[in-house]
Amino acid sequence: MASAAASAPPSPASLKRIVAASLIGTTIEWYDFFLYGSAAALVFNKLFFPDSDPLVGTLLSFLTYAVGFAARPLGALVFGHYGDRIGRKKLLVLSLLMMGGATFAIGLLPTHASVGAAAPVLLTTLRLIQGFALGGEWGGAVLLVSEHGDARRRGFWASWPQTGAPAGQLLATGVLSALTALLSDDAFASWGWRIPFLLSGVLVIVGLWIRLSVDESPVFKEALARAEARRADRTAAAEMPLVSVLRHHWKDVLIAMGARMAENISYYVITAFILVYATTSAGVSKQTALNAVLIASAVHFAVIPAWGALSDRIGRRPVYLLGAVGVGLWMFPFFSLIDTGGFGNLILAVTVGLVLHGAMYAPQAAFFSEMFATRMRYSGASIGAQFASVAAGAPAPLIATALLSEYDSSTPISLYVIAAALLTILAVGVAKETRRRDLADVEPSADEQRATAPADVRTV
């Protein structure tokens, strides 16, 4: 049985403060990450790769965008290891400082016109730091909420850190949209693009102030105390969280990776690649495309908690599967609506796409948290989520742009997203429902698990 300290839910005021700490941090982290993606589609091809043809320059720009994803698994490994060893809070503060510092530095970078080939090298280095930090941010943020709340409403509360993605997208797109509306193209390309990156410094100060005000979850504190007691009683060294995850939860890691494919790929096609497709193939201005993403992101923010609450009522799997099937079915209508060039149709296309995406993204935090035992939860959730991003979100804009360049048609891009949806449906279909699991349950030691538990038993 779990101790009363571990099982007693926090007060409503305390839980709201914990949710706010996670949400503000994830919003800032995603603001930084998405700001880069939008700038990569709009100006970085000209500022850092000016010798390339426009579409090739966009591909190179998205390549530096993808580099950030490549660093995320490393961040997941490092932050997950230490987050399971010393606590979630310390690592979340570090991730916020790293991401904010790298983003602020991008706003100070010289362009290709000033320093030549050194410019894209510096840009890529800072993008690697961004990716490393984000790889550690997500797992800690969702666990901070999941481990404080109770099972009855965990899907709802844990979905709030997930709203940091559309909130960050909303903030990044809003700032860029305002600047492109107020500034001429020349002014924006000359100095205006730097403003959103420099604003990150202010946001980080606010995020740190809130994030430093919360404490570790009782669930983690109790698990840490048990682990220290076991180490004191045994001569053998404790198993590393990464080794424990791969030994006891490798199936869950694969399920999490498969579950992320449709969610991750569809999101970056809908929000990042659309800025390329709408402006080059559909003849839509970049201002119009940004405004459509801005409106849709606001709706996306609003529906995520609703999907999370629904997952508390009917389960994580049904809601997740609804989103995967929906995104797959929506891709052909999505591009058909954009091809009309109408602003209303553009809003409809992106909004429906993001609402369906939200059905996958909302329950994901609770779903992944519930798959893994407390002393390896940060590692397990982060590895499953971030390793998938290398194969999913990282190349999605690159693959979509390359397919458009090769076939001059949206059909191959739609089939690409549909294939990802089928993979996610398969992964979630074989997963077990987790919504009734108690994260505060006492876990047996690794030795006891190997000695007594059947291969398919999962401890939570």
Side-chain angles (χ1 to χ4, degrees):
M1 295 291 293
S3 72
S7 58
S11 67
S14 176
L15 185 56
K16 289 177 182 177
R17 186 171 66 252
I18 293 160
V19 170
S22 292
L23 175 57
I24 189 67
T26 54
T27 297
I28 293 169
E29 299 262 7
W30 284 114
Y31 166 80
D32 293 346
F33 207 74
F34 290 139
L35 180 61
Y36 188 102
S38 297
L42 297 173
V43 294
F44 280 179
N45 58 334
K46 300 172 184 176
L47 296 174
F48 293 92
F49 308 98
D51 296 331
S52 304
D53 125 323
L55 200 54
V56 173
T58 300
L59 279 168
L60 292 172
S61 185
F62 274 141
L63 185 60
T64 62
Y65 177 71
V67 162
F69 286 85
R72 282 164 69 170
L74 181 59
L77 290 172
V78 174
F79 279 81
H81 173 81
Y82 288 103
D84 281 329
R85 286 295 182 93
I86 65 176
R88 286 66 162 119
K89 177 181 172 178
K90 295 181 180 68
L91 275 297
L92 285 173
V93 169
L94 179 60
S95 71
L96 188 60
L97 287 171
M98 290 182 67
M99 174 67 89
T103 305
F104 186 83
I106 289 175
L108 301 175
L109 274 183
T111 63
H112 189 279
S114 300
V115 296
V121 172
L122 292 171
L123 181 67
T124 302
T125 301
L126 292 174
R127 183 59 174 171
L128 282 168
I129 296 173
Q130 278 191 326
F132 181 82
L134 189 61
E137 163 69 22
W138 181 84
V142 299
L143 293 188
L144 197 64
V145 178
S146 294
E147 292 180 344
H148 273 90
D150 63 294
R152 188 174 61 87
R153 301 193 69 196
R154 185 181 299 127
F156 171 73
W157 289 115
S159 71
W160 279 100
Q162 300 292 78
T163 64
Q169 178 78 66
L170 191 64
L171 190 58
T173 306
V175 171
L176 283 172
S177 181
L179 288 172
T180 55
L182 294 172
L183 301 176
S184 66
D185 288 345
D186 289 342
F188 182 76
S190 175
W191 56 268
W193 67 272
R194 298 182 183 276
I195 294 175
F197 290 92
L198 297 176
L199 283 175
S200 181
V202 178
L203 296 175
V204 167
I205 294 173
V206 176
L208 283 174
W209 177 68
I210 297 176
R211 187 160 276 187
L212 287 169
S213 69
V214 301
D215 199 6
E216 294 288 354
S217 71
V219 171
F220 175 78
K221 288 180 178 178
E222 184 173 299
L224 182 61
R226 291 196 304 270
E228 290 174 348
R230 288 198 298 267
R231 282 196 292 269
D233 292 340
R234 293 160 53 199
T235 56
E239 199 171 51
M240 292 176 59
L242 172 61
V243 175
S244 297
V245 167
L246 298 180
R247 183 186 298 273
H248 303 294
H249 290 281
W250 63 270
K251 290 181 181 178
D252 294 315
V253 170
L254 292 178
I255 287 171
M257 291 176 66
R260 287 219 74 196
M261 297 306 289
E263 177 268 307
N264 218 216
I265 289 172
S266 66
Y267 189 79
Y268 290 105
V269 168
I270 293 169
T271 61
F273 174 70
I274 188 180
L275 299 179
V276 175
Y277 184 83
T279 55
T280 59
S281 295
V284 176
S285 70
K286 65 181 179 183
Q287 181 66 49
T288 299
L290 282 169
N291 288 342
V293 174
L294 188 67
I295 294 169
S297 293
V299 177
H300 194 211
F301 179 92
V303 300
I304 285 177
W307 285 123
L310 184 61
S311 79
D312 285 327
R313 295 179 63 86
I314 67 174
R316 318 297 184 216
R317 292 173 68 251
V319 177
Y320 212 115
L321 288 169
L322 175 63
V325 172
V327 161
L329 294 175
W330 184 243
M331 276 302 102
F332 281 109
F334 172 78
F335 285 108
S336 296
L337 287 168
I338 295 173
D339 287 338
T340 66
F343 183 52
N345 286 341
L346 190 60
I347 293 174
L348 179 62
V350 182
T351 300
V352 173
L354 288 183
V355 168
L356 293 170
H357 170 270
M360 294 181 283
Y361 199 54
Q364 188 180 96
F367 189 31
F368 288 8
S369 298
E370 291 159 347
M371 287 182 182
F372 302 96
T374 301
R375 291 292 293 135
M376 60 190 83
R377 187 171 292 132
Y378 201 148
S379 296
S382 296
I383 291 169
Q386 303 306 333
F387 272 69
S389 69
V390 176
L398 278 168
I399 292 173
T401 303
L403 289 172
L404 179 64
S405 177
E406 179 68 23
Y407 297 100
D408 194 26
S409 170
S410 64
T411 298
I413 305 167
S414 297
L415 294 175
Y416 166 52
V417 178
I418 290 170
L422 291 174
L423 184 57
T424 291
I425 291 168
L426 176 63
V428 177
V430 301
K432 292 184 178 180
E433 182 56 58
T434 62
R435 72 184 172 106
R436 297 191 184 277
R437 291 184 179 174
D438 185 356
L439 300 186
D441 280 349
V442 174
E443 316 157 68
S445 69
D447 288 341
E448 290 169 337
Q449 290 180 52
R450 288 193 291 272
T452 64
D456 61 344
V457 169
R458 297 171 174 81
T459 60
V460 295

